[in-house]
Amino acid sequence: TYSVGTASCTTTDQVDITVDPLPVLNVGLDTAVCVSDPPFVLWATPSGGSWQPTAYLQVNGTFDPALATVGSLSPCCYDYTDPNTDCSNSICRNVLVNDLPTVLIQDTIACAGVPITFQNFSTTPASYAWDFGDNVGTSTLQFPTYTYNAPGTDTVQLIVTNGANCVDSATA
């Protein structure tokens, strides 16, 4: 109630105010992806809002890992205005973009029937998957030893997975 004036010259008025709640938003949990992952669309509820655009995030929620800074959290913020109450709210989630392992192996000359130890110069690995290219041999060792039984040229492939579950490969 609001009053203006004094003594017999007083007037009073009353205003009712409705206080609406802020919209409850959900954009999911923080997440981690690999820099080589394809662009993907972030989700949000309720729908009908918009994502705050950045170099790596479009207004429709498409996140492109290749455009984000590797090794840093990339904040992704969603804005929503309730069409019934005109109340607005914002919420953010972070996406961590992880780098790929560096995979490096060298061409090697071997003799049939003689064991050879492969050199592996990969960085930040967590696991290895070797394919010795002869449709027979594989290994999960960092520096595997293998014996080729027949002469010829074989293409060796090494697939390395790092601790962030990002994968890269090389052939020799």
Side-chain angles (χ1 to χ4, degrees):
T1 303
Y2 182 74
S3 298
V4 177
T6 59
S8 64
C9 291
T10 301
T11 185
T12 303
D13 196 1
Q14 179 175 327
V15 176
D16 293 327
I17 298 175
T18 301
V19 179
D20 292 312
L22 288 175
V24 177
L25 308 181
N26 184 2
V27 293
L29 300 174
D30 291 352
T31 190
V33 298
C34 300
V35 68
S36 61
D37 288 350
F40 59 95
V41 177
L42 298 172
W43 61 270
T45 59
S47 61
S50 63
W51 293 89
Q52 296 173 12
T54 64
Y56 50 82
L57 182 67
Q58 297 175 11
V59 72
N60 71 350
T62 300
F63 183 92
D64 190 342
L67 300 177
T69 302
V70 172
S72 296
L73 291 176
S74 300
C76 301
C77 298
Y78 180 74
D79 301 322
Y80 177 80
T81 301
D82 187 315
N84 298 317
T85 65
D86 209 30
C87 292
S88 297
N89 202 357
S90 295
I91 189 171
C92 298
R93 73 181 279 186
N94 291 307
V95 178
L96 174 63
V97 178
N98 292 299
D99 206 357
L100 301 179
T102 300
V103 184
L104 181 61
I105 55 176
Q106 294 179 339
D107 289 339
T108 304
I109 297 174
C111 297
V114 178
I116 180 174
T117 299
F118 286 88
Q119 297 301 309
N120 174 359
F121 304 98
S122 303
T123 60
T124 63
S127 67
Y128 306 93
W130 290 87
D131 180 338
F132 299 116
D134 61 355
N135 296 320
V136 177
T138 61
S139 176
T140 58
L141 298 175
Q142 182 176 4
F143 301 105
T145 298
Y146 188 69
T147 302
Y148 287 95
N149 293 321
T153 301
D154 298 298
T155 300
V156 176
Q157 181 181 39
L158 171 59
I159 300 171
V160 177
T161 303
N162 65 17
N165 216 26
C166 297
V167 178
D168 204 0
S169 64
T171 56

